[in-house]
Amino acid sequence: MLFFTQCFGAVLDLIHLRFQHYKAKRVFSAAGQLVCVVNPTHSLKYAPTLCAAVQASTDQGIPPCHHHEAVHDPQLVPCMCPLFSCPWEGHLEVVVSHLRQTHHINILQGAEIVFLATDMHLPAPTDWIIMHSCLGHQFLLVLRKQEKYEGHPQFFATMMLIGTPTQADNFTYRLELNRNQRRLKWEATPRSVLERVDSVISDGDCLVLNTSLAQLFSDNGSLAIGIAITTSKVLNSEAEM
Amino acid sequence: MLFFTQCFGAVLDLIHLRFQHYKAKRVFSAAGQLVCVVNPTHSLKYAPTLCAAVQASTDQGIPPCHHHEAVHDPQLVPCMCPLFSCPWEGHLEVVVSHLRQTHHINILQGAEIVFLATDMHLPAPTDWIIMHSCLGHQFLLVLRKQEKYEGHPQFFATMMLIGTPTQADNFTYRLELNRNQRRLKWEATPRSVLERVDSVISDGDCLVLNTSLAQLFSDNGSLAIGIAITTSKVLNSEAEM
């Protein structure tokens, strides 16, 4: 009976792994560029104990999900994944493992990748998230569909360094949309995750698309965003303007 | 007495000319690029007879301001300047002279110019308009501040060819904002003025900035937009995506 229970557990684990693989890791290479298919996560801002639930199901060396207290250590990063309810806070060093292990956010390698967000039609709030390992650091790309103004959903895309603001200043990231003889490029210095993704998006200091632009750049409900990260230099033509 | 009246009229004309010069033609060259200071025009959508008034004051060979009738000639272009009330309609060949002479819209030469829109804080609806002569054609750059959603003004920038859609397909235009270590680029095929600027803006098929992005790119209430026009080729990396 014990043997049967263990076998059943192992089968469940396999199904679970297979599902995660499908959800988060449909990665393939097209025309020499790494394309990562990113499925949406409906933002569950007010779901109370999701982090705990996820954690319970993946009980293997995960940083502890300790509940919100009045902590004011500026080096503590709140969980910036779409599971807004996640009460986890932790130091920078363990953010990557928290995101990978607790929230199953995939991590990709390479200086240039294509982030293919599926199901752009889903109602706000929805997030598409991936981690990107490049130039010796980890970055977090967040695409968020949100209604800042009721009935007027917008898409916000930003890249953040899982590191300090000083480290972030050494990089420049570029997001590029290219379709239907239109091209939109956003270049900026990444912000640090210590500055919190919610602030960056509410400040509007990121690539912003309204629904009609998002539709122009989408293909069959999926939006391809080309991502490139370089070490920073003063943007060339700034002086010229 | 007649002499005095004529002198007084001449002085008034001089003052009028001087004022127009100040309003529409503060053009200078900075770091090798032509910079055109463009003052805003508050959109007077419901002002009834402004075109007639303007025309009366500049009575010199202007195309006639004939009032709206049920004309369905697709080659007739309604006046697309911010004086929405202007009831003028005319063929493509006379659009440039109408805009110059009736509405005093300036025309600039050169493949690359900087459009410097002043007083970005003014309430919507407001327009900034310039004509741009380049590669043997005339283009119209329109920056419009408009509230598509009440209480949420946005900026829309587009370039249109004063020519047919087929002619427009031969060009690509680029609008570029560059400030505070951020860069935003929009590249597209210009639309023809026959397609009407209002439709392009209501479709959102243009560079769209919300207020916070416009502020990030502005300096002292002025927004510099770098403009470049080239003959069209398929955007390079489109195939790569």
Side-chain angles (χ1 to χ4, degrees), chain B residues 150-161:
Chain B
E150 214 184 311
H152 177 215
Q154 291 178 296
F155 293 88
F156 302 86
T158 188
M159 189 145 236
M160 307 193 81
L161 177 73

Side-chain angles (χ1 to χ4, degrees), chain A residues 149 152 176 178-188 203-205 212-213 216 236-238 240, chain B residues 149 152 176 178-188 203-205 212-213 216 236-238:
Chain A
Y149 304 90
H152 177 214
E176 182 171 342
N178 192 354
R179 201 170 173 269
N180 278 330
Q181 294 186 289
R182 288 158 185 87
R183 188 187 286 174
L184 187 62
K185 269 190 207 182
W186 165 261
E187 267 180 61
D203 293 351
D205 185 10
S212 49
L213 268 185
L216 275 169
N236 297 329
S237 59
E238 188 148 17
E240 293 166 26
Chain B
Y149 303 90
H152 177 215
E176 182 170 341
N178 192 354
R179 201 170 171 269
N180 280 328
Q181 294 188 289
R182 287 160 186 85
R183 189 187 285 175
L184 187 62
K185 268 189 205 179
W186 166 261
E187 268 179 61
D203 292 350
D205 186 11
S212 49
L213 268 185
L216 274 169
N236 297 331
S237 61
E238 186 148 15

